[in-house]
Amino acid sequence: KQEVTQIPAALSVPEGENLVLNCSFTDSAIYNLQWFRQDPGKGLTSLLLIQSSQREQTSGRLNASLDKSSGRSTLYIAASQPGDSATYLCAAPDTGGFKTIFGAGTRLFVKA
Amino acid sequence: GAVVSQHPSWVICKSGTSVKIECRSLDFQATTMFWYRQFPKQSLMLMATSNEGSKATYEQGVEKDKFLINHASLTLSTLTVTSAHPEDSSFYICSARFSQGGGETQYFGPGTRLLVL
């Protein structure tokens, strides 16, 4: 059964800092992995989707990498801004690939 | 990209009443939709898998008689919280499974916030 773990649980950084959010998963037989952003009281915003054949995906200041062999993914945020403050969720398919399992999230606060 | 909508976006109801939440895939057909629940400061937990034309599959610990799911068409799934109680207050999010070119992606709705008084 797939388990998704995210560290750190919370992170506070000054504006402009580059940062890395970590996600690990127990079942490496995944066909993709997704990173989401969730603002307080809001729904999910899909940030990056990495297919199993890819090693990384980039969107603006965001870069997500995927290492299936080690069961890890990282989300790199460059030059962080206060507007980046949110909870970032990592999600991977369950064993069998039918359901999506979410990590507990990393709550990011970027100080101006 | 594909769009999934939910209605209503928020609802307040009295204890004991039933509340229906709709999930629609707007520009694609979804044979499978998923319903998640999220309590404050917690992650999303899958409640059930909604299958078009057949019964939903519920996760362990989720009462199927309390959370009724109907997937009547390829673009609509509904979740009815029956006899709602304050402990059912939560953020409910649906997703729709989209298959294309041998790959699959889930698209998520914006969520429905339920407050039971």
Side-chain angles (χ1 to χ4, degrees), chain A residues 51, chain B residues 1-2 27-29 97-107:
Chain A
Q51 301 291 350
Chain B
D27 49 4
F28 66 100
Q29 293 182 332
R97 191 179 177 92
F98 177 62
S99 299
Q100 185 182 47
E104 294 183 339
T105 307
Q106 279 191 47
Y107 292 97

Side-chain angles (χ1 to χ4, degrees), chain B residues 14-89:
Chain B
K14 293 182 178 180
S15 184
T17 60
S18 294
V19 175
K20 180 185 285 188
I21 303 170
E22 294 185 347
C23 177
R24 293 182 185 273
S25 56
L26 298 185
D27 49 4
F28 66 100
Q29 293 182 332
T31 56
T32 304
M33 292 184 175
F34 302 90
W35 286 97
Y36 296 83
R37 179 168 54 184
Q38 184 180 37
F39 291 109
K41 296 187 178 181
Q42 294 186 26
S43 191
L44 280 72
M45 297 300 295
L46 180 65
M47 299 175 64
T49 302
S50 173
N51 305 297
E52 188 270 334
S54 63
K55 292 182 179 180
T57 304
Y58 291 81
E59 295 300 297
Q60 192 172 11
V62 178
E63 300 175 60
K64 61 180 181 181
D65 294 330
K66 181 168 184 62
F67 299 100
L68 301 179
I69 292 173
N70 184 17
H71 195 151
S73 76
L74 289 172
T75 59
L76 173 64
S77 175
T78 60
L79 169 68
T80 300
V81 183
T82 62
S83 186
H85 287 91
E87 58 265 29
D88 298 323
S89 298

Side-chain angles (χ1 to χ4, degrees), chain A residues 29-109:
Chain A
I30 58 173
Y31 55 85
N32 64 29
L33 182 139
Q34 216 164 349
W35 283 92
F36 295 88
R37 168 184 173 139
Q38 186 175 32
D39 292 286
K42 303 293 184 181
L44 301 180
T45 300
S46 179
L47 297 175
L48 290 164
L49 169 67
I50 313 175
Q51 301 291 350
S52 62
S53 58
Q54 300 172 321
R55 282 197 163 270
E56 63 180 276
Q57 278 283 337
T58 299
S59 176
R61 293 181 294 107
L62 305 180
N63 176 277
S65 67
L66 175 63
D67 184 347
K68 288 179 58 179
S69 61
S70 66
R72 302 168 79 111
S73 176
T74 60
L75 179 65
Y76 176 82
I77 303 177
S80 58
Q81 303 171 358
D84 295 331
S85 299
T87 295
Y88 291 82
L89 296 165
C90 167
D94 194 6
T95 302
F98 194 66
K99 308 171 190 176
T100 297
I101 305 299
F102 283 84
T106 293
R107 289 191 299 280
L108 173 65
F109 179 64

